[in-house]
């Protein structure tokens, strides 16, 4: 999770934009909009969520690997954690 005030502000702004996009999609669906604009809105939301995921993941990686080295087991556990995170993101 982003911890600096700047990072937190940026992430919250992204979440608010995503919420706005989702609300616009809901209104379009309720209004019976054509498929093409609905699909375009869904793609835009997916892109926004991917951008949010990327930003939070980057902050997590910086936090995880920016810490003091620690034992070999601790380093290996951190690498395994980040690897699992990246794998789940790429699914």
């Amino acid at each position: 999770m982003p911890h600096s005030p700047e990072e937190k502000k940026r992430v919250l702004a992204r979440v608010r934009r995503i919420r706005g996009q989702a609300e616009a999609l809901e209104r379009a669906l309720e209004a019976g909009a054509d498929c093409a604009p609905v699909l375009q809105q869904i793609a835009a939301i997916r892109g926004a969520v991917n951008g949010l995921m990327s930003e939070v993941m980057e902050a997590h990686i910086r936090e995880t690997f920016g810490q003091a080295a620690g034992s070999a087991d601790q380093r290996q556990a951190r690498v395994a954690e980040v690897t699992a995170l990246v794998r789940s993101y790429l699914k």
Side-chain angles (χ1 to χ4, degrees), residues 15-28:
V15 169
R16 290 182 185 112
R17 280 193 301 271
I18 292 167
R19 182 183 324 137
Q21 289 175 311
E23 289 169 354
L25 174 61
E26 182 179 6
R27 287 190 302 272

Side-chain angles (χ1 to χ4, degrees), residues 5-79:
E6 298 84 24
E7 285 180 329
K8 191 172 187 176
K9 184 177 178 179
R10 237 183 1 257
V11 167
L12 287 173
R14 280 183 179 268
V15 169
R16 290 182 185 112
R17 280 193 301 271
I18 292 167
R19 182 183 324 137
Q21 289 175 311
E23 289 169 354
L25 174 61
E26 182 179 6
R27 287 190 302 272
L29 291 170
E30 286 175 348
D34 290 335
C35 287
V38 167
L39 290 169
Q40 186 175 17
Q41 185 66 30
I42 292 169
I45 292 169
R46 181 178 58 191
V49 169
N50 285 344
L52 173 64
M53 174 78 81
S54 177
E55 191 162 338
V56 172
M57 187 182 304
E58 182 181 333
H60 178 68
I61 289 170
R62 268 191 273 114
E63 183 180 308
T64 299
F65 291 104
Q67 298 173 357
S71 72
D73 287 341
Q74 289 171 328
R75 287 191 306 272
Q76 195 171 26
R78 284 186 286 190
V79 168

